[in-house]
Amino acid sequence: MKDSIINLVRSNIKNLEPYQSARRIGGNGDIWLNANESPISSVFITNITSFNRYPECQPQDLIMSYANYVGLSKDEILVTRGADEGIELLIKAFCDPAKDSIICCPPTYDMYSVSARIANVQIKEIPTFKNTWGIDLKNIQDNLNQVKLIYICNPNNPTGNLISKQDIINLLKITSKSALIVIDEAYIEFSPKDSMVSFLKKFSNLIILRTLSKAFSLAGIRCGFTLANKNIINILNRVISPYPISTIVADIATQSLNKISIKNMKDRVLTLNLNRNWLVGKLKKISLVEKIFDSHANYILVKFHMSEKIFQHLWKKGIILRNQNHKIKDCLRISVGSHLECSHLIKEIKILSYA
Ligand SMILES: *Cc1c(COP(=O)(O)O)cnc(C)c1O
């Protein structure tokens, strides 16, 4: 592009760092433990054969299926192109550029701040407490000026911890008239009793994000959900694009929510939780491992002696992890893979620890 054209770019986009997704970072090999995807695929067949018509903006069969799954009514649900679109729509609908703010609590998922930056909405970072990773309610309360949205990831990515229910309830109360609390439950199927869904009736400022990308093992179709009271869902329906969910995605997503598929999802979750506990047990015995943070999701955050060296060694062996060193010193995030993948990982780390 010519320089003069570059100058047309909005100033907040000019130096924007794009989200560093696992796919963007890349890697080569057979063992992908870097994006918290399911290692086990679920297989779907679609019988749809014609595509000349636009899909429904909010495919009603899919909405009904998700409503049944979560025990809400259909006007409390928005279906989006992944949970990531939900994160962005909330900012579009509620935050005035160059005026309003969001709060996020690092270390956490980066898309909250990336989406805010793109929209030219300010970000107030209120770090969680070291090691327990609990939210700092007092500090949040002191910084609510001009804040419209507070993003809390539960279980948190990349640390794997749960945020205490009582803290979330206190946060909802503190902000009941001034801000919306967005609980990102991308991994909640791995710890279902900790969902905040049952609180939607009580708190009108509560919003919950969900996805089919993790426990449902459908990252490839890009489908997520925003759960909230119907007034908020109505607002979001004003800003969403006209046809965000393709016909095929709606069909496969609906199938993934039938009785048998949900049973399969729950079985996969049990298997992955067992694999996680096995992996933690093995890692504990390795001297290069300094600390393993308690996880309630399908990944674990591990602090290593020589984390860079381990990361690079595994990378060369085709075992791709997520390096978190820039956020949390000497830490790597490991997605829980199949049992075979976990065994390979342990074998390679052991070789290094004897070297
Ligand atoms: C993976 C992930 C998402 C993104 O979900 P998509 O539905 O694939 O867009 C959202 N939040 C967190 C915390 C995630 O880890």
Side-chain angles (χ1 to χ4, degrees), residues 245-291:
I245 308 298
S246 81
T247 310
I248 296 181
V249 168
D251 183 46
I252 292 169
T254 307
Q255 292 185 48
S256 80
L257 292 161
N258 71 28
K259 234 181 176 164
I260 296 169
S261 301
I262 287 177
K263 165 84 169 59
N264 291 340
M265 179 276 288
K266 289 181 176 167
D267 289 346
R268 270 195 311 273
V269 163
L270 286 179
T271 303
L272 288 172
N273 282 349
L274 286 174
N275 290 359
R276 179 189 67 214
N277 298 345
W278 181 87
L279 189 58
V280 168
K282 292 288 176 190
L283 285 168
K284 271 186 180 157
K285 295 184 191 142
I286 296 177
S287 59
L288 283 174
V289 172
E290 194 178 329
K291 186 176 169 85

mmCIF file of all heavy atoms in Angstrom, residues 245-291:
data_model
loop_
_atom_site.group_PDB
_atom_site.id
_atom_site.type_symbol
_atom_site.label_atom_id
_atom_site.label_comp_id
_atom_site.label_asym_id
_atom_site.label_seq_id
_atom_site.Cartn_x
_atom_site.Cartn_y
_atom_site.Cartn_z
ATOM 1 N N ILE A 245 -24.714 -16.694 11.312
ATOM 2 C CA ILE A 245 -24.551 -18.144 11.462
ATOM 3 C C ILE A 245 -24.945 -18.819 10.156
ATOM 4 O O ILE A 245 -26.104 -18.735 9.728
ATOM 5 C CB ILE A 245 -25.457 -18.673 12.612
ATOM 6 C CG1 ILE A 245 -25.233 -17.877 13.895
ATOM 7 C CG2 ILE A 245 -25.247 -20.168 12.846
ATOM 8 C CD1 ILE A 245 -23.831 -17.964 14.465
ATOM 9 N N SER A 246 -23.984 -19.491 9.516
ATOM 10 C CA SER A 246 -24.303 -20.106 8.223
ATOM 11 C C SER A 246 -25.240 -21.290 8.428
ATOM 12 O O SER A 246 -25.325 -21.865 9.524
ATOM 13 C CB SER A 246 -23.030 -20.551 7.509
ATOM 14 O OG SER A 246 -22.595 -21.788 8.017
ATOM 15 N N THR A 247 -25.940 -21.647 7.374
ATOM 16 C CA THR A 247 -26.911 -22.749 7.417
ATOM 17 C C THR A 247 -26.271 -24.036 7.941
ATOM 18 O O THR A 247 -26.857 -24.745 8.760
ATOM 19 C CB THR A 247 -27.464 -22.981 5.990
ATOM 20 O OG1 THR A 247 -27.881 -21.720 5.469
ATOM 21 C CG2 THR A 247 -28.626 -23.940 6.002
ATOM 22 N N ILE A 248 -25.060 -24.325 7.467
ATOM 23 C CA ILE A 248 -24.398 -25.571 7.870
ATOM 24 C C ILE A 248 -24.016 -25.526 9.346
ATOM 25 O O ILE A 248 -24.188 -26.505 10.068
ATOM 26 C CB ILE A 248 -23.136 -25.810 7.012
ATOM 27 C CG1 ILE A 248 -23.545 -25.998 5.550
ATOM 28 C CG2 ILE A 248 -22.366 -27.020 7.499
ATOM 29 C CD1 ILE A 248 -22.390 -26.255 4.627
ATOM 30 N N VAL A 249 -23.492 -24.382 9.775
ATOM 31 C CA VAL A 249 -23.114 -24.247 11.183
ATOM 32 C C VAL A 249 -24.332 -24.451 12.081
ATOM 33 O O VAL A 249 -24.284 -25.178 13.080
ATOM 34 C CB VAL A 249 -22.466 -22.871 11.447
ATOM 35 C CG1 VAL A 249 -22.348 -22.603 12.943
ATOM 36 C CG2 VAL A 249 -21.103 -22.801 10.781
ATOM 37 N N ALA A 250 -25.449 -23.818 11.701
ATOM 38 C CA ALA A 250 -26.665 -23.945 12.518
ATOM 39 C C ALA A 250 -27.089 -25.405 12.600
ATOM 40 O O ALA A 250 -27.474 -25.894 13.677
ATOM 41 C CB ALA A 250 -27.784 -23.085 11.932
ATOM 42 N N ASP A 251 -27.005 -26.124 11.481
ATOM 43 C CA ASP A 251 -27.428 -27.525 11.465
ATOM 44 C C ASP A 251 -26.539 -28.378 12.374
ATOM 45 O O ASP A 251 -27.028 -29.151 13.204
ATOM 46 C CB ASP A 251 -27.403 -28.053 10.023
ATOM 47 C CG ASP A 251 -27.904 -29.492 9.954
ATOM 48 O OD1 ASP A 251 -28.953 -29.787 10.567
ATOM 49 O OD2 ASP A 251 -27.248 -30.329 9.307
ATOM 50 N N ILE A 252 -25.221 -28.234 12.221
ATOM 51 C CA ILE A 252 -24.298 -29.053 13.018
ATOM 52 C C ILE A 252 -24.393 -28.681 14.501
ATOM 53 O O ILE A 252 -24.426 -29.555 15.374
ATOM 54 C CB ILE A 252 -22.862 -28.912 12.483
ATOM 55 C CG1 ILE A 252 -22.775 -29.572 11.108
ATOM 56 C CG2 ILE A 252 -21.847 -29.542 13.441
ATOM 57 C CD1 ILE A 252 -21.502 -29.294 10.358
ATOM 58 N N ALA A 253 -24.486 -27.396 14.774
ATOM 59 C CA ALA A 253 -24.596 -26.953 16.175
ATOM 60 C C ALA A 253 -25.864 -27.517 16.812
ATOM 61 O O ALA A 253 -25.845 -27.964 17.964
ATOM 62 C CB ALA A 253 -24.582 -25.432 16.248
ATOM 63 N N THR A 254 -26.969 -27.521 16.063
ATOM 64 C CA THR A 254 -28.225 -28.065 16.601
ATOM 65 C C THR A 254 -28.070 -29.559 16.891
ATOM 66 O O THR A 254 -28.477 -30.046 17.951
ATOM 67 C CB THR A 254 -29.391 -27.828 15.608
ATOM 68 O OG1 THR A 254 -29.430 -26.441 15.284
ATOM 69 C CG2 THR A 254 -30.730 -28.241 16.213
ATOM 70 N N GLN A 255 -27.451 -30.275 15.964
ATOM 71 C CA GLN A 255 -27.208 -31.708 16.201
ATOM 72 C C GLN A 255 -26.365 -31.934 17.459
ATOM 73 O O GLN A 255 -26.594 -32.879 18.208
ATOM 74 C CB GLN A 255 -26.470 -32.327 15.020
ATOM 75 C CG GLN A 255 -27.264 -32.418 13.730
ATOM 76 C CD GLN A 255 -26.464 -33.177 12.665
ATOM 77 O OE1 GLN A 255 -25.920 -34.239 12.930
ATOM 78 N NE2 GLN A 255 -26.390 -32.602 11.475
ATOM 79 N N SER A 256 -25.383 -31.055 17.663
ATOM 80 C CA SER A 256 -24.463 -31.248 18.794
ATOM 81 C C SER A 256 -25.178 -31.079 20.137
ATOM 82 O O SER A 256 -24.620 -31.381 21.183
ATOM 83 C CB SER A 256 -23.285 -30.269 18.710
ATOM 84 O OG SER A 256 -23.666 -28.994 19.190
ATOM 85 N N LEU A 257 -26.420 -30.563 20.091
ATOM 86 C CA LEU A 257 -27.166 -30.327 21.324
ATOM 87 C C LEU A 257 -28.299 -31.323 21.511
ATOM 88 O O LEU A 257 -29.137 -31.157 22.402
ATOM 89 C CB LEU A 257 -27.697 -28.886 21.320
ATOM 90 C CG LEU A 257 -26.587 -27.825 21.422
ATOM 91 C CD1 LEU A 257 -27.086 -26.462 20.947
ATOM 92 C CD2 LEU A 257 -26.049 -27.730 22.849
ATOM 93 N N ASN A 258 -28.332 -32.376 20.665
ATOM 94 C CA ASN A 258 -29.350 -33.402 20.932
ATOM 95 C C ASN A 258 -28.882 -34.292 22.081
ATOM 96 O O ASN A 258 -27.737 -34.221 22.522
ATOM 97 C CB ASN A 258 -29.726 -34.178 19.660
ATOM 98 C CG ASN A 258 -28.618 -35.099 19.178
ATOM 99 O OD1 ASN A 258 -27.789 -35.581 19.962
ATOM 100 N ND2 ASN A 258 -28.584 -35.348 17.880
ATOM 101 N N LYS A 259 -29.804 -35.107 22.566
ATOM 102 C CA LYS A 259 -29.562 -35.885 23.780
ATOM 103 C C LYS A 259 -28.281 -36.721 23.694
ATOM 104 O O LYS A 259 -27.453 -36.702 24.620
ATOM 105 C CB LYS A 259 -30.756 -36.818 24.017
ATOM 106 C CG LYS A 259 -31.347 -36.676 25.387
ATOM 107 C CD LYS A 259 -32.497 -37.645 25.536
ATOM 108 C CE LYS A 259 -33.028 -37.565 26.955
ATOM 109 N NZ LYS A 259 -34.342 -38.176 27.076
ATOM 110 N N ILE A 260 -28.131 -37.453 22.590
ATOM 111 C CA ILE A 260 -26.982 -38.353 22.455
ATOM 112 C C ILE A 260 -25.679 -37.560 22.403
ATOM 113 O O ILE A 260 -24.689 -37.913 23.043
ATOM 114 C CB ILE A 260 -27.123 -39.222 21.175
ATOM 115 C CG1 ILE A 260 -28.339 -40.136 21.302
ATOM 116 C CG2 ILE A 260 -25.860 -40.035 20.925
ATOM 117 C CD1 ILE A 260 -28.735 -40.832 20.023
ATOM 118 N N SER A 261 -25.694 -36.452 21.651
ATOM 119 C CA SER A 261 -24.471 -35.648 21.524
ATOM 120 C C SER A 261 -24.076 -35.034 22.869
ATOM 121 O O SER A 261 -22.890 -34.927 23.182
ATOM 122 C CB SER A 261 -24.659 -34.537 20.499
ATOM 123 O OG SER A 261 -24.991 -35.085 19.251
ATOM 124 N N ILE A 262 -25.063 -34.620 23.646
ATOM 125 C CA ILE A 262 -24.739 -34.039 24.960
ATOM 126 C C ILE A 262 -24.159 -35.112 25.877
ATOM 127 O O ILE A 262 -23.185 -34.874 26.602
ATOM 128 C CB ILE A 262 -25.981 -33.360 25.579
ATOM 129 C CG1 ILE A 262 -26.254 -32.058 24.817
ATOM 130 C CG2 ILE A 262 -25.771 -33.069 27.070
ATOM 131 C CD1 ILE A 262 -27.483 -31.303 25.264
ATOM 132 N N LYS A 263 -24.724 -36.330 25.779
ATOM 133 C CA LYS A 263 -24.165 -37.447 26.554
ATOM 134 C C LYS A 263 -22.701 -37.686 26.130
ATOM 135 O O LYS A 263 -21.807 -37.852 26.970
ATOM 136 C CB LYS A 263 -25.029 -38.692 26.312
ATOM 137 C CG LYS A 263 -24.440 -40.014 26.724
ATOM 138 C CD LYS A 263 -24.678 -40.289 28.217
ATOM 139 C CE LYS A 263 -24.335 -41.713 28.624
ATOM 140 N NZ LYS A 263 -22.954 -42.113 28.386
ATOM 141 N N ASN A 264 -22.442 -37.673 24.820
ATOM 142 C CA ASN A 264 -21.068 -37.864 24.329
ATOM 143 C C ASN A 264 -20.148 -36.764 24.836
ATOM 144 O O ASN A 264 -18.996 -37.015 25.208
ATOM 145 C CB ASN A 264 -21.032 -37.875 22.790
ATOM 146 C CG ASN A 264 -21.697 -39.116 22.226
ATOM 147 O OD1 ASN A 264 -21.852 -40.113 22.934
ATOM 148 N ND2 ASN A 264 -22.108 -39.053 20.963
ATOM 149 N N MET A 265 -20.657 -35.533 24.822
ATOM 150 C CA MET A 265 -19.857 -34.405 25.315
ATOM 151 C C MET A 265 -19.484 -34.640 26.782
ATOM 152 O O MET A 265 -18.335 -34.479 27.181
ATOM 153 C CB MET A 265 -20.654 -33.112 25.136
ATOM 154 C CG MET A 265 -19.968 -31.850 25.611
ATOM 155 S SD MET A 265 -20.155 -31.512 27.381
ATOM 156 C CE MET A 265 -21.873 -31.024 27.473
ATOM 157 N N LYS A 266 -20.470 -35.057 27.568
ATOM 158 C CA LYS A 266 -20.202 -35.272 28.996
ATOM 159 C C LYS A 266 -19.200 -36.400 29.209
ATOM 160 O O LYS A 266 -18.354 -36.329 30.115
ATOM 161 C CB LYS A 266 -21.505 -35.528 29.756
ATOM 162 C CG LYS A 266 -22.350 -34.249 29.872
ATOM 163 C CD LYS A 266 -23.640 -34.457 30.650
ATOM 164 C CE LYS A 266 -24.356 -33.107 30.800
ATOM 165 N NZ LYS A 266 -25.743 -33.263 31.261
ATOM 166 N N ASP A 267 -19.283 -37.441 28.382
ATOM 167 C CA ASP A 267 -18.300 -38.541 28.470
ATOM 168 C C ASP A 267 -16.892 -38.029 28.141
ATOM 169 O O ASP A 267 -15.916 -38.399 28.789
ATOM 170 C CB ASP A 267 -18.665 -39.680 27.509
ATOM 171 C CG ASP A 267 -19.893 -40.445 27.986
ATOM 172 O OD1 ASP A 267 -20.287 -40.272 29.160
ATOM 173 O OD2 ASP A 267 -20.466 -41.211 27.178
ATOM 174 N N ARG A 268 -16.807 -37.205 27.092
ATOM 175 C CA ARG A 268 -15.496 -36.634 26.719
ATOM 176 C C ARG A 268 -14.929 -35.801 27.863
ATOM 177 O O ARG A 268 -13.742 -35.867 28.164
ATOM 178 C CB ARG A 268 -15.644 -35.730 25.483
ATOM 179 C CG ARG A 268 -15.480 -36.408 24.152
ATOM 180 C CD ARG A 268 -15.272 -35.385 23.033
ATOM 181 N NE ARG A 268 -16.238 -34.293 23.030
ATOM 182 C CZ ARG A 268 -17.423 -34.333 22.407
ATOM 183 N NH1 ARG A 268 -17.800 -35.409 21.748
ATOM 184 N NH2 ARG A 268 -18.225 -33.297 22.437
ATOM 185 N N VAL A 269 -15.800 -35.024 28.490
ATOM 186 C CA VAL A 269 -15.358 -34.178 29.610
ATOM 187 C C VAL A 269 -14.793 -35.047 30.738
ATOM 188 O O VAL A 269 -13.728 -34.751 31.288
ATOM 189 C CB VAL A 269 -16.521 -33.295 30.115
ATOM 190 C CG1 VAL A 269 -16.227 -32.725 31.492
ATOM 191 C CG2 VAL A 269 -16.788 -32.162 29.117
ATOM 192 N N LEU A 270 -15.498 -36.155 31.052
ATOM 193 C CA LEU A 270 -15.016 -37.051 32.111
ATOM 194 C C LEU A 270 -13.637 -37.591 31.749
ATOM 195 O O LEU A 270 -12.723 -37.604 32.577
ATOM 196 C CB LEU A 270 -15.987 -38.219 32.306
ATOM 197 C CG LEU A 270 -17.304 -37.892 33.018
ATOM 198 C CD1 LEU A 270 -18.180 -39.139 33.116
ATOM 199 C CD2 LEU A 270 -17.028 -37.320 34.405
ATOM 200 N N THR A 271 -13.491 -38.042 30.498
ATOM 201 C CA THR A 271 -12.203 -38.578 30.043
ATOM 202 C C THR A 271 -11.103 -37.530 30.160
ATOM 203 O O THR A 271 -10.019 -37.804 30.675
ATOM 204 C CB THR A 271 -12.312 -39.023 28.559
ATOM 205 O OG1 THR A 271 -13.367 -39.968 28.461
ATOM 206 C CG2 THR A 271 -11.015 -39.633 28.069
ATOM 207 N N LEU A 272 -11.402 -36.312 29.708
ATOM 208 C CA LEU A 272 -10.371 -35.261 29.725
ATOM 209 C C LEU A 272 -10.028 -34.850 31.154
ATOM 210 O O LEU A 272 -8.857 -34.589 31.462
ATOM 211 C CB LEU A 272 -10.823 -34.050 28.903
ATOM 212 C CG LEU A 272 -10.833 -34.292 27.383
ATOM 213 C CD1 LEU A 272 -11.466 -33.118 26.651
ATOM 214 C CD2 LEU A 272 -9.422 -34.535 26.856
ATOM 215 N N ASN A 273 -11.027 -34.822 32.033
ATOM 216 C CA ASN A 273 -10.722 -34.501 33.435
ATOM 217 C C ASN A 273 -9.838 -35.587 34.054
ATOM 218 O O ASN A 273 -8.921 -35.273 34.828
ATOM 219 C CB ASN A 273 -12.011 -34.305 34.239
ATOM 220 C CG ASN A 273 -12.651 -32.936 33.996
ATOM 221 O OD1 ASN A 273 -12.032 -32.049 33.387
ATOM 222 N ND2 ASN A 273 -13.875 -32.760 34.444
ATOM 223 N N LEU A 274 -10.090 -36.862 33.685
ATOM 224 C CA LEU A 274 -9.221 -37.939 34.168
ATOM 225 C C LEU A 274 -7.815 -37.785 33.596
ATOM 226 O O LEU A 274 -6.808 -37.927 34.311
ATOM 227 C CB LEU A 274 -9.783 -39.313 33.761
ATOM 228 C CG LEU A 274 -11.010 -39.799 34.535
ATOM 229 C CD1 LEU A 274 -11.534 -41.103 33.935
ATOM 230 C CD2 LEU A 274 -10.662 -39.998 36.008
ATOM 231 N N ASN A 275 -7.724 -37.483 32.293
ATOM 232 C CA ASN A 275 -6.400 -37.276 31.673
ATOM 233 C C ASN A 275 -5.654 -36.134 32.364
ATOM 234 O O ASN A 275 -4.443 -36.201 32.577
ATOM 235 C CB ASN A 275 -6.538 -36.937 30.181
ATOM 236 C CG ASN A 275 -7.008 -38.122 29.359
ATOM 237 O OD1 ASN A 275 -7.223 -39.205 29.898
ATOM 238 N ND2 ASN A 275 -7.173 -37.915 28.057
ATOM 239 N N ARG A 276 -6.396 -35.078 32.693
ATOM 240 C CA ARG A 276 -5.767 -33.933 33.367
ATOM 241 C C ARG A 276 -5.182 -34.367 34.711
ATOM 242 O O ARG A 276 -4.020 -34.058 35.018
ATOM 243 C CB ARG A 276 -6.799 -32.823 33.589
ATOM 244 C CG ARG A 276 -6.219 -31.596 34.323
ATOM 245 C CD ARG A 276 -7.314 -30.614 34.713
ATOM 246 N NE ARG A 276 -8.194 -31.189 35.711
ATOM 247 C CZ ARG A 276 -9.507 -30.954 35.800
ATOM 248 N NH1 ARG A 276 -10.105 -30.136 34.964
ATOM 249 N NH2 ARG A 276 -10.239 -31.534 36.737
ATOM 250 N N ASN A 277 -5.969 -35.103 35.465
ATOM 251 C CA ASN A 277 -5.478 -35.518 36.779
ATOM 252 C C ASN A 277 -4.289 -36.457 36.653
ATOM 253 O O ASN A 277 -3.335 -36.384 37.436
ATOM 254 C CB ASN A 277 -6.617 -36.156 37.584
ATOM 255 C CG ASN A 277 -7.755 -35.162 37.830
ATOM 256 O OD1 ASN A 277 -7.566 -33.950 37.644
ATOM 257 N ND2 ASN A 277 -8.921 -35.652 38.209
ATOM 258 N N TRP A 278 -4.309 -37.305 35.648
ATOM 259 C CA TRP A 278 -3.177 -38.209 35.384
ATOM 260 C C TRP A 278 -1.935 -37.377 35.060
ATOM 261 O O TRP A 278 -0.859 -37.600 35.607
ATOM 262 C CB TRP A 278 -3.539 -39.147 34.214
ATOM 263 C CG TRP A 278 -2.462 -40.130 33.871
ATOM 264 C CD1 TRP A 278 -2.281 -41.356 34.441
ATOM 265 C CD2 TRP A 278 -1.420 -39.959 32.907
ATOM 266 N NE1 TRP A 278 -1.182 -41.963 33.880
ATOM 267 C CE2 TRP A 278 -0.623 -41.134 32.937
ATOM 268 C CE3 TRP A 278 -1.059 -38.946 32.016
ATOM 269 C CZ2 TRP A 278 0.484 -41.320 32.119
ATOM 270 C CZ3 TRP A 278 0.044 -39.117 31.206
ATOM 271 C CH2 TRP A 278 0.808 -40.291 31.264
ATOM 272 N N LEU A 279 -2.126 -36.406 34.166
ATOM 273 C CA LEU A 279 -1.019 -35.546 33.738
ATOM 274 C C LEU A 279 -0.421 -34.788 34.929
ATOM 275 O O LEU A 279 0.803 -34.713 35.092
ATOM 276 C CB LEU A 279 -1.543 -34.568 32.678
ATOM 277 C CG LEU A 279 -0.560 -33.690 31.921
ATOM 278 C CD1 LEU A 279 0.477 -34.541 31.190
ATOM 279 C CD2 LEU A 279 -1.319 -32.822 30.910
ATOM 280 N N VAL A 280 -1.291 -34.256 35.780
ATOM 281 C CA VAL A 280 -0.819 -33.519 36.954
ATOM 282 C C VAL A 280 0.005 -34.451 37.854
ATOM 283 O O VAL A 280 1.094 -34.088 38.312
ATOM 284 C CB VAL A 280 -2.015 -32.912 37.742
ATOM 285 C CG1 VAL A 280 -1.565 -32.392 39.105
ATOM 286 C CG2 VAL A 280 -2.659 -31.786 36.938
ATOM 287 N N GLY A 281 -0.497 -35.664 38.063
ATOM 288 C CA GLY A 281 0.211 -36.642 38.888
ATOM 289 C C GLY A 281 1.612 -36.928 38.355
ATOM 290 O O GLY A 281 2.584 -36.985 39.116
ATOM 291 N N LYS A 282 1.731 -37.101 37.037
ATOM 292 C CA LYS A 282 3.032 -37.389 36.421
ATOM 293 C C LYS A 282 3.969 -36.180 36.495
ATOM 294 O O LYS A 282 5.153 -36.313 36.786
ATOM 295 C CB LYS A 282 2.844 -37.791 34.944
ATOM 296 C CG LYS A 282 2.163 -39.109 34.744
ATOM 297 C CD LYS A 282 3.097 -40.264 35.125
ATOM 298 C CE LYS A 282 2.369 -41.586 35.008
ATOM 299 N NZ LYS A 282 3.127 -42.709 35.573
ATOM 300 N N LEU A 283 3.417 -34.986 36.220
ATOM 301 C CA LEU A 283 4.254 -33.776 36.227
ATOM 302 C C LEU A 283 4.824 -33.506 37.617
ATOM 303 O O LEU A 283 5.964 -33.054 37.753
ATOM 304 C CB LEU A 283 3.434 -32.564 35.760
ATOM 305 C CG LEU A 283 3.138 -32.479 34.255
ATOM 306 C CD1 LEU A 283 2.089 -31.403 33.974
ATOM 307 C CD2 LEU A 283 4.410 -32.194 33.450
ATOM 308 N N LYS A 284 4.016 -33.806 38.652
ATOM 309 C CA LYS A 284 4.450 -33.556 40.031
ATOM 310 C C LYS A 284 5.759 -34.256 40.365
ATOM 311 O O LYS A 284 6.518 -33.805 41.203
ATOM 312 C CB LYS A 284 3.368 -34.043 41.014
ATOM 313 C CG LYS A 284 2.335 -32.984 41.334
ATOM 314 C CD LYS A 284 1.373 -33.468 42.410
ATOM 315 C CE LYS A 284 0.344 -32.388 42.703
ATOM 316 N NZ LYS A 284 -0.882 -32.972 43.292
ATOM 317 N N LYS A 285 6.011 -35.393 39.692
ATOM 318 C CA LYS A 285 7.197 -36.194 40.006
ATOM 319 C C LYS A 285 8.430 -35.748 39.225
ATOM 320 O O LYS A 285 9.498 -36.331 39.372
ATOM 321 C CB LYS A 285 6.914 -37.660 39.709
ATOM 322 C CG LYS A 285 5.838 -38.236 40.604
ATOM 323 C CD LYS A 285 5.669 -39.718 40.332
ATOM 324 C CE LYS A 285 4.431 -40.250 41.023
ATOM 325 N NZ LYS A 285 3.738 -41.255 40.200
ATOM 326 N N ILE A 286 8.267 -34.749 38.357
ATOM 327 C CA ILE A 286 9.389 -34.331 37.509
ATOM 328 C C ILE A 286 10.085 -33.120 38.135
ATOM 329 O O ILE A 286 9.424 -32.120 38.463
ATOM 330 C CB ILE A 286 8.894 -34.019 36.079
ATOM 331 C CG1 ILE A 286 8.332 -35.307 35.446
ATOM 332 C CG2 ILE A 286 10.003 -33.433 35.222
ATOM 333 C CD1 ILE A 286 7.747 -35.133 34.074
ATOM 334 N N SER A 287 11.398 -33.206 38.279
ATOM 335 C CA SER A 287 12.114 -32.169 39.034
ATOM 336 C C SER A 287 12.127 -30.807 38.323
ATOM 337 O O SER A 287 12.255 -29.780 38.963
ATOM 338 C CB SER A 287 13.542 -32.619 39.316
ATOM 339 O OG SER A 287 14.191 -32.877 38.087
ATOM 340 N N LEU A 288 11.975 -30.808 36.993
ATOM 341 C CA LEU A 288 11.950 -29.531 36.268
ATOM 342 C C LEU A 288 10.674 -28.736 36.540
ATOM 343 O O LEU A 288 10.591 -27.557 36.227
ATOM 344 C CB LEU A 288 12.049 -29.782 34.759
ATOM 345 C CG LEU A 288 13.426 -30.131 34.199
ATOM 346 C CD1 LEU A 288 13.311 -30.495 32.729
ATOM 347 C CD2 LEU A 288 14.395 -28.968 34.381
ATOM 348 N N VAL A 289 9.680 -29.405 37.096
ATOM 349 C CA VAL A 289 8.402 -28.743 37.366
ATOM 350 C C VAL A 289 8.482 -28.031 38.711
ATOM 351 O O VAL A 289 8.781 -28.641 39.731
ATOM 352 C CB VAL A 289 7.237 -29.764 37.366
ATOM 353 C CG1 VAL A 289 5.943 -29.108 37.837
ATOM 354 C CG2 VAL A 289 7.062 -30.369 35.989
ATOM 355 N N GLU A 290 8.224 -26.709 38.672
ATOM 356 C CA GLU A 290 8.314 -25.946 39.911
ATOM 357 C C GLU A 290 6.960 -25.860 40.604
ATOM 358 O O GLU A 290 6.856 -25.974 41.807
ATOM 359 C CB GLU A 290 8.840 -24.542 39.583
ATOM 360 C CG GLU A 290 9.290 -23.779 40.803
ATOM 361 C CD GLU A 290 9.859 -22.412 40.431
ATOM 362 O OE1 GLU A 290 10.444 -22.278 39.323
ATOM 363 O OE2 GLU A 290 9.698 -21.483 41.236
ATOM 364 N N LYS A 291 5.905 -25.647 39.809
ATOM 365 C CA LYS A 291 4.572 -25.492 40.404
ATOM 366 C C LYS A 291 3.506 -25.821 39.367
ATOM 367 O O LYS A 291 3.621 -25.449 38.198
ATOM 368 C CB LYS A 291 4.405 -24.047 40.879
ATOM 369 C CG LYS A 291 3.132 -23.779 41.642
ATOM 370 C CD LYS A 291 3.105 -22.335 42.172
ATOM 371 C CE LYS A 291 1.733 -21.981 42.706
ATOM 372 N NZ LYS A 291 1.472 -22.363 44.071
#
